[in-house]
Amino acid sequence: MQTKALIVDDEPDILELLDITLNRMNIGCDCAANLDEARKYLSENTYSLCLTDMNLPDGNGIELVTHIQRCFPDMPVAVLTAHGNMDTAIASMKAGAFDFVSKPIELERLRSLVNTALKLKSSSDTENNGHVNIIGQSECIESLRKKINKLSRSQAPVYISGESGSGKELAARAIHEQGPLASAPFVAVNCGAIPRELMESEFFGHKKGSFTGAHKDKAGLFELANGGTLFLDEVADLPLDMQVKLLRAIQEKAIRSVGDQKETAVDVRILSATHKDLEAEVNENRFRQDLFYRINVIELKVPPLRERQEDILPLADRFLLNIAKESQDKAATLTKEASKALSQYKFPGNVRELENILERAYTLCENDTIDVEDLQIREVAAPSAIESHSDEDLAGESLDSHLEEIERGIIIKTLEENRWNRTAAAKKLGVSFRSLRYRLKKLGLDHDD
């Protein structure tokens, strides 16, 4: 059975162009000049996709998007917009359109959109749910899974909000891997970790000789993610001048490498996240309002761990299995008291804190059994310990990175004092040999293994 598309536009030239282009892709077409005709075709036929103009003689294309979402939720619908009219494109995606293409229509962009739409329909027919495992059976996690499943069927930019350590990148990966771009690249970048002077080169690439140290051409993040998804973590940390360049790249779907004279077309889905209140950042003029509206077409909120405490122990079991696998050792188990302590703890650091607590407990426990004392929850959560270190003490580092550096320094110093005898060093540090071996691997110091 031939793939079939519905095209809706009141301009005969546009209808003819789309009809010819799709026929060459072996896609049959029905052409409608207004909403009434489109609804009649939809009631009498089955289509794999729909392309509709925004401005029609008897209404707005968004009306058709809404109708298709309600009556034919598995049918991808894309809209044709006037060049540069991003407000219309954003409104259509909020209504349920999976993507848009600007007039005058670029045929390469159109073909890419149509191919993505057909993959989307195919993945819907085969109930492809991806392979990212978001653990938990709580009501808010079930709701999150449903939203991710819906968002994976769109190309709309998604802004993922949530506290640090709550799993925003995992949600982004799930959106990517459950959608039609699953086999394409997923490129994640922490915007706050890129030195300001290297940002343009990192995002857009550079040409050989464009600046001191540019010894060869380098592809930027947009090029690496071309055809797939670019995840901008901690997007609120971007400086204002870089926000302008990022906005232009997203809107124009084109980039210019540092030192290059021409632009390169890129087709990238943008997912972004930050633990900050992005609206507050806009109000304080630290984040551009136009970029905020462009990346925040749809917002996805990831709940903190304290709001889904019934998921703590299933997460703990998974982490302990992963830790044992990485250490090539037996999996540790939690005592009843340790399980109770974890279940009652509020986890200000969320899922990341749970993982860190269990990694430490695994190295401290005896006989592969983790007790309350091994968790050291009170020590981690003590306000005095948190308040005694100011932001300035961390010098821009995350707490995890700061503590890792301290741990690395102590272990190296002890190993040097014991002529790199690991058994003696473990004894001096007051940890088991297994514990020291695990810490060395975690810190990247196990070069002799």
Side-chain angles (χ1 to χ4, degrees), residues 93-104:
M93 287 193 286
K94 282 184 181 290
F98 91 97
D99 208 346
F100 70 95
V101 60
S102 298
K103 294 180 178 180

Side-chain angles (χ1 to χ4, degrees), residues 27 53 72 88 161 191 368 375:
I27 299 171
D53 192 20
F72 313 96
T88 302
S161 61
C191 299
D368 302 316
L375 297 174

